[in-house]
């Protein structure tokens, strides 16, 4: 049985951009969804789906995004390694510190939202 080949770099970038857009839209839909009591009382749905349907799409697409993100990191490991390897100049250390701070801040922001 032949193994399936990974998508090309271009395909990965296109799919990741598409999944990011879908994640943004589904996240906004769930964030702006009316409170449970209002949604039940009015039988609220959007494009024929309730909140559970939007959550299922968001979860499935997020797994795809994470998997393709891992593939992206693997393919670009040399460039990322060169970017993260400090040199003697202070700018490299500042760049690494800024990247790490932004990553941690985005994680905390995401945890704070939910």
């Amino acid at each position: 049985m032949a193994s399936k080949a990974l998508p090309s770099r271009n395909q990965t970038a296109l799919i990741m951009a598409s999944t990011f857009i879908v994640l943004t839209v589904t996240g906004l839909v769930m964030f702006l969804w009316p409170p449970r009591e209002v949604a039940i009382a009015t039988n609220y749905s959007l494009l024929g789906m309730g909140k559970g349907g939007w959550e299922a799409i968001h979860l499935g697409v997020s797994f795809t995004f994470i998997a393709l993100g891992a593939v992206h990191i693997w393919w670009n490991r040399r460039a990322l390694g060169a970017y993260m390897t400090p040199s003697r100049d202070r700018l490299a250390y500042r760049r690494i510190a800024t990247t790490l701070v932004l990553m941690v801040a985005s994680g905390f922001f995401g945890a704070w939202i939910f």
Side-chain angles (χ1 to χ4, degrees), residues 33-92:
W33 200 268
R36 183 175 188 268
E37 296 80 18
V38 174
I40 291 172
T42 60
N43 197 19
Y44 187 80
S45 68
L46 182 63
L47 299 175
M49 290 186 295
K51 188 170 185 179
W54 287 99
E55 288 173 346
I57 291 171
H58 189 77
L59 185 65
V61 172
S62 66
F63 286 138
T64 304
F65 186 76
I66 290 169
L68 288 175
V71 170
H72 170 75
I73 289 170
W74 176 257
W75 275 338
N76 295 298
R77 65 188 178 277
R78 287 188 190 106
L80 291 170
Y83 178 76
M84 296 302 285
T85 303
S87 62
R88 293 179 185 238
D89 61 349
R90 295 179 70 186
L91 183 60

Side-chain angles (χ1 to χ4, degrees), residues 7-63:
S8 72
R9 288 181 189 220
N10 293 340
Q11 290 172 330
T12 302
L14 180 63
I15 295 170
M16 283 189 70
S18 302
T19 57
F20 180 77
I21 292 169
V22 172
L23 285 174
T24 302
V25 170
T26 57
L28 285 171
V29 166
M30 290 187 302
F31 182 75
L32 298 173
W33 200 268
R36 183 175 188 268
E37 296 80 18
V38 174
I40 291 172
T42 60
N43 197 19
Y44 187 80
S45 68
L46 182 63
L47 299 175
M49 290 186 295
K51 188 170 185 179
W54 287 99
E55 288 173 346
I57 291 171
H58 189 77
L59 185 65
V61 172
S62 66
F63 286 138

